[in-house]
Amino acid sequence: MKYALYYYDACPFCQRVLRTLPEVKVEVEKRNVMKDRSFSAQQHKATGRTTVPCLLIDNDGEETWMYESGDIINYLKSL
Ligand SMILES: N[C@@H](CCC(=O)N[C@@H](CS)C(=O)NCC(=O)O)C(=O)O
């Protein structure tokens, strides 16, 4: 399983998720959608939205995109 967080620095909801990353047991790749617009395009193509934070869960090519900072935090902490 691979995890990637779509985020940008000025987003307070993203900051909530970013702050919890050191506490979780899995590695989460950080994808800054402002610094690399291709991340945003990829997210929009897959979900029709560009809201952040968004967690991409990649299970051997099967992708699940999770929205809502609270849900993302609870999910990551449950792993
Ligand atoms: N309820 C959401 C709020 C997320 C949110 O409002 N994100 C803002 C940035 S701070 C955003 O991406 N707005 C643009 C959009 O929704 O397309 C959460 O807790 O994750």
Side-chain angles (χ1 to χ4, degrees):
M1 205 83 98
K2 285 188 191 159
Y3 305 95
L5 180 71
Y6 290 66
Y7 79 102
Y8 59 79
D9 287 330
C11 162
F13 304 98
C14 300
Q15 290 300 329
R16 280 186 66 204
V17 179
L18 288 167
R19 273 200 302 274
T20 64
L21 293 188
E23 298 169 29
V24 306
K25 294 194 184 82
V26 294
E27 256 192 55
V28 179
E29 183 191 331
K30 292 190 279 178
R31 296 186 175 171
N32 188 319
V33 299
M34 290 295 183
K35 288 195 174 150
D36 186 338
R37 300 300 292 161
S38 74
F39 289 143
S40 198
Q42 188 184 49
Q43 180 191 351
H44 188 261
K45 192 173 175 209
T47 73
R49 298 172 62 185
T50 53
T51 305
V52 288
C54 181
L55 181 72
L56 169 60
I57 304 160
D58 181 347
N59 185 359
D60 224 6
E62 187 190 316
E63 296 185 343
T64 303
W65 297 77
M66 182 182 288
Y67 284 99
E68 290 301 321
S69 52
D71 291 346
I72 295 170
I73 289 168
N74 288 339
Y75 172 75
L76 288 173
K77 283 185 170 176
S78 76
L79 297 172

